Amino acid sequence: MYLDNSATTQVSEEVFEEMKPFFTEEFGNPSTLYGIGRESKKALDLARKRVADAINAKPEEIIFTSGGSESDNLAIKGIAFKLSKKGKHIITTNIEHPAVKNTLGFLESLDFKVTYLPVNEEGIISVEDLKEAITDETILITIMHANNELGTIQPIEEIGQIAREKGIKFHTDAVQSFGKIEVDVEKLNVDLLSLSSHKINGPKGVGALYIKKGTRVVPLIHGGGQEKGIRSGTENVPGIVGFGKACQ
Ligand SMILES: *Cc1c(COP(=O)(O)O)cnc(C)c1O
């Protein structure tokens, strides 16, 4: 009996069936203009719509990545590098997933300052502590939605409201909450939100970053300009198709 579904899940039969043709007959490159490529492009568009619909976002606000870790890296470094002239202070918690924690550790080595908010005995941060931590230099708040070890859920809506009032970008890692509780980017007041496919019965090695319209990030992978130039590289079509189906 497998009981570690927070570590990963089995790909569901329906998801696998939907992916299969994209390993064989439907192998086209979505960036090419002829028939077979166009079919792949259509499949990407459908998957993007399915992911967007699942979090109440618009399809153009979804950037496909290689998973939750890359989405966290893109959100955090992408904003940090974009806004470093404005300030170099970031606020987070001391219970983040390593994909967030170690990204912030790397930024500290580049002279960014990070405040790690503690959690109470119930695993929740204090919104008062957060307000006190904000300075004129704060460019980003990154606080996870549901914790991968504790299952605790942070008051994202309220944190998002504070961030928005102060004009500070707000990212949440929603990898663990997605598919279990409602994840609605409008209600949560977030600018960036990370998702991973393999935690919701989709394949491994694929995920997405929601980037609210008007929010700019510096790309981490440069190349052929795929994903609006934010994440270059020929898309993982079968993986993305599977992720879309899992979201649906
Ligand atoms: C699993 C997980 C990740 C990493 O996602 P990958 O797709 O495995 O890279 C990030 N954040 C949280 C909270 C997770 O549970």
Side-chain angles (χ1 to χ4, degrees):
M1 187 181 289
Y2 180 75
L3 294 171
D4 199 9
N5 286 290
S6 296
T8 196
T9 59
Q10 184 174 16
V11 173
S12 79
E13 201 53 49
E14 285 166 275
V15 165
F16 185 49
E17 284 303 320
E18 188 111 347
M19 292 171 72
K20 271 184 191 167
F22 295 93
F23 288 107
T24 52
E25 313 86 78
E26 298 290 351
F27 63 87
N29 184 329
S31 296
T32 57
L33 299 172
Y34 43 85
I36 192 167
R38 280 208 305 271
E39 288 309 311
S40 292
K41 173 70 166 59
K42 261 195 244 165
L44 277 190
D45 290 345
L46 175 62
R48 201 182 303 280
K49 177 154 193 336
R50 285 171 166 171
V51 176
D53 285 350
I55 59 171
N56 191 27
K58 299 177 197 78
E60 60 270 24
E61 294 174 314
I62 302 297
I63 298 296
F64 287 117
T65 66
S66 67
S69 300
E70 188 187 327
S71 297
D72 287 341
N73 272 264
L74 178 58
I76 295 168
K77 289 180 204 162
I79 290 289
F81 296 154
K82 188 78 197 175
L83 299 180
S84 63
K85 288 203 182 74
K86 200 174 152 201
K88 287 191 133 190
H89 180 235
I90 299 170
I91 301 172
T92 189
T93 75
N94 62 9
I95 59 160
E96 295 299 313
H97 186 277
V100 168
K101 186 181 162 214
N102 294 334
T103 300
L104 291 169
F106 168 69
L107 288 176
E108 285 177 308
S109 77
L110 299 180
D111 280 343
F112 284 85
K113 299 279 170 282
V114 181
T115 300
Y116 297 87
L117 301 173
V119 296
N120 66 15
E121 57 281 356
E122 286 173 342
I124 309 290
I125 66 141
S126 145
V127 171
E128 288 311 310
D129 285 355
L130 170 72
K131 283 185 190 161
E132 280 171 30
I134 294 171
T135 73
D136 292 342
E137 292 277 300
T138 310
I139 51 169
L140 174 67
I141 298 171
T142 174
I143 293 180
M144 72 196 320
H145 195 189
N147 183 273
N148 46 296
E149 292 181 355
L150 305 168
T152 50
I153 299 163
Q154 302 301 328
I156 297 302
E157 234 178 281
E158 206 182 337
I159 296 166
Q161 219 155 18
I162 294 164
R164 201 147 287 173
E165 276 164 23
K166 301 272 185 188
I168 299 166
K169 294 297 174 200
F170 179 39
H171 165 249
T172 193
D173 177 330
V175 170
Q176 289 292 343
S177 53
F178 185 51
K180 288 153 193 144
I181 58 172
E182 185 184 41
V183 175
D184 177 324
V185 294
E186 291 299 326
K187 283 190 195 161
L188 292 176
N189 302 313
V190 294
D191 299 299
L192 305 115
L193 180 141
S194 300
L195 299 174
S196 174
S197 157
H198 76 94
K199 306 283 172 73
I200 60 159
N201 302 100
K204 292 170 180 59
V206 57
L209 180 65
Y210 157 79
I211 306 179
K212 190 180 172 66
K213 193 168 183 284
T215 300
R216 299 242 177 284
V217 298
V218 169
L220 303 184
I221 301 179
H222 299 87
Q226 290 89 347
E227 298 297 296
K228 299 197 289 182
I230 295 169
R231 204 282 188 178
S232 281
T234 301
E235 300 86 345
N236 170 9
V237 179
I240 290 169
V241 164
F243 181 30
K245 187 66 181 173
C247 286
Q248 186 201 30

